[in-house]
Amino acid sequence: MIRDDLIKLNEQTGFSPELKFGQNFLSDENIISDIVDLCDIKKSDKVLEIGPGLGSLSLPLSGLTDNLTLVEIDKRLASFLGEKEGLNAKIIVSDFLKLKDYGAPGFDKIVSNLPYYVMTDIMKKLFAECVNAGKMVFMIEEDAFNRVVAKPGTKQYGPLSVLCSLYGNVVKEFTVQRSAFIPAPNTTSCVISLTKGERTLDQGLVNFLDQVFRMRRKKLLNNVKGIEDQLDLLNIDHNCRAEQLEPEALWSLYNAIIESGNKQA
Ligand code: SAM
């Protein structure tokens, strides 16, 4: 079906997938239905999909909810989706990273076969803005999963690992072979699900983590000035670096700094 859509679109408009936008379209019906099942959509859920492409996931998703919003950077794909039979969705043509005022706090579920070149930035924006989403389901590069679940003291540990851990429960659901896409990407992919826990993340936290990991070999105190009292309060050594701290400790420190009124966090 996706192959037919691609041929049709190519004949009508000369469209061919843009590698610079990470356009690898999912064409395996079993994988598509497994991803949609994982999203566990209820009719009343407000669902956001980033990068719908040719609508592999959007079409089945739109049958499950009356509230589906799609954000697609490529206007050729957006206009193709606008005419797709049976697709009931609001379509926003935009680079998601530049998008404002899209009603972010109102979304319950987020789904994306992520464009891999901006995977981290899109996930960070979602954590910062879609603060009430109870579930997020993503296709990512399999290698990138190590960064999602990295532990303190490792090279891969950084803002993304901390945010995923603080958001809630992260599960690697299954691996997806290159042959499931047209055109095939260079690497194997995997589908992950994230289920929200008790914490509500925000933009301030994302900024704080970017700040403390910016110079990762530097002491925390050199990256964020004037936090001696908060470090003492939490029994954190003044020589400590962000990469040595567990996500919960960074969360406590962020909140202690906010409570103290320090404007740097
Ligand atoms: N969801 C479709 C699927 O599963 O077949 C397409 C997935 S494809 C890996 C990534 C999609 O994200 C493409 O349609 C691409 O045009 C779109 N995209 C890339 N960068 C984007 C951005 N910054 N904002 C919104 N969409 C983007």
Side-chain angles (χ1 to χ4, degrees):
M1 192 177 123
I2 287 301
R3 187 177 296 280
D4 295 345
D5 282 347
L6 255 182
I7 293 170
K8 199 166 100 193
L9 193 59
N10 177 269
E11 284 169 358
Q12 287 171 353
T13 68
F15 175 88
S16 60
E18 293 259 17
L19 295 183
K20 70 168 185 203
F21 286 151
Q23 289 176 349
N24 303 99
F25 302 111
L26 196 49
S27 65
D28 183 312
E29 293 297 332
N30 292 325
I31 304 278
I32 291 170
S33 108
D34 287 349
I35 295 175
V36 172
D37 286 351
L38 272 176
C39 298
D40 192 21
I41 309 278
K42 290 195 249 12
K43 203 74 183 158
S44 59
D45 280 340
K46 270 196 96 182
V47 182
L48 174 66
E49 186 192 355
I50 316 295
L54 292 162
S56 306
L57 297 168
S58 332
L59 194 60
L61 287 171
S62 83
L64 297 172
T65 170
D66 295 328
N67 267 304
L68 175 64
T69 299
L70 312 173
V71 182
E72 173 56 60
I73 197 170
D74 189 327
K75 50 180 181 294
R76 299 165 305 168
L77 292 172
S79 68
F80 170 83
L81 290 171
E83 288 172 13
K84 196 164 175 112
E85 209 175 307
L87 180 62
N88 171 26
K90 174 178 173 190
I91 302 169
I92 301 175
V93 190
S94 172
D95 175 345
F96 177 65
L97 295 176
K98 296 187 180 146
L99 188 62
K100 294 189 176 113
D101 303 327
Y102 57 102
F107 289 105
D108 302 301
K109 306 256 163 81
I110 314 289
V111 191
S112 184
N113 173 5
L114 284 165
Y116 297 158
Y117 75 107
V118 276
M119 166 206 148
T120 303
D121 288 343
I122 289 182
M123 286 176 70
K124 280 182 177 175
K125 182 170 161 78
L126 290 167
F127 288 132
E129 297 174 359
C130 295
V131 291
N132 297 310
K135 186 147 194 180
M136 304 196 188
V137 175
F138 300 123
M139 174 94 75
I140 62 171
E141 276 181 295
E142 190 160 50
D143 284 351
F145 184 66
N146 297 330
R147 275 194 294 129
V148 169
V149 289
K151 298 283 175 233
T154 64
K155 243 166 100 179
Q156 309 261 38
Y157 187 62
L160 183 68
S161 350
V162 177
L163 289 166
C164 289
S165 169
L166 292 177
Y167 175 76
N169 190 33
V170 181
V171 176
K172 180 178 179 180
E173 301 285 355
F174 50 86
T175 298
V176 182
Q177 299 304 325
R178 296 168 58 235
S179 56
F181 303 86
I182 305 174
N186 293 329
T187 53
T188 307
S189 302
C190 69
V191 171
I192 62 171
S193 69
L194 294 87
T195 306
K196 188 176 182 302
E198 284 174 3
R199 297 183 195 87
T200 296
L201 315 187
D202 62 18
Q203 184 67 61
L205 175 71
V206 175
N207 297 345
F208 170 71
L209 293 173
D210 281 344
Q211 190 179 353
V212 296
F213 278 97
R214 190 160 295 137
M215 313 271 243
R216 44 189 307 135
R217 303 300 300 167
K218 269 194 174 183
K219 293 177 198 171
L220 263 170
L221 258 180
N222 289 331
N223 279 331
V224 195
K225 305 283 180 221
I227 56 168
E228 288 83 348
D229 288 352
Q230 288 74 45
L231 292 176
D232 290 342
L233 188 75
L234 298 165
N235 286 323
I236 299 172
D237 192 297
H238 285 204
N239 291 319
C240 188
R241 300 189 301 268
E243 62 179 6
Q244 298 171 298
L245 291 177
E246 293 287 343
E248 287 71 19
L250 287 162
W251 170 256
S252 301
L253 181 58
Y254 168 66
N255 284 295
I257 295 172
I258 292 288
E259 274 165 34
S260 76
N262 183 322
K263 293 276 178 293
Q264 285 203 60

